[in-house]
Amino acid sequence: MVTHELQSILAIGDRCIMLDKEAKGMIAEGDPRRLRDESQNPVVRAFFRREVMA
């Protein structure tokens, strides 16, 4: 499934990948809850926490 809807990702996903246009590829892979809580990547954290990147 492809989605940008955070609620769906957390409700049904046990694994996800994140693609980034600037990186031109995958920047994260794993359990969405762990990515939200433990990722060291600021782009990944911002997406899961719905923060605006400066």
Side-chain angles (χ1 to χ4, degrees):
M1 177 172 103
V2 175
T3 185
H4 297 139
E5 187 177 305
L6 187 54
Q7 187 175 20
S8 295
I9 294 168
L10 295 171
I12 65 173
D14 59 2
R15 181 174 176 268
C16 71
I17 65 168
M18 290 189 67
L19 304 174
D20 183 69
K21 184 177 181 179
E22 287 186 31
K24 297 185 174 147
M26 187 171 68
I27 59 169
E29 178 272 325
D31 182 307
R33 289 159 245 8
R34 291 192 71 188
L35 293 175
R36 176 194 63 202
D37 298 338
E38 302 171 10
S39 179
Q40 299 301 307
N41 185 313
V43 174
V44 174
R45 282 195 317 267
F47 172 79
F48 279 103
R49 296 173 185 178
R50 292 297 189 222
E51 298 171 348
V52 176
M53 294 289 296

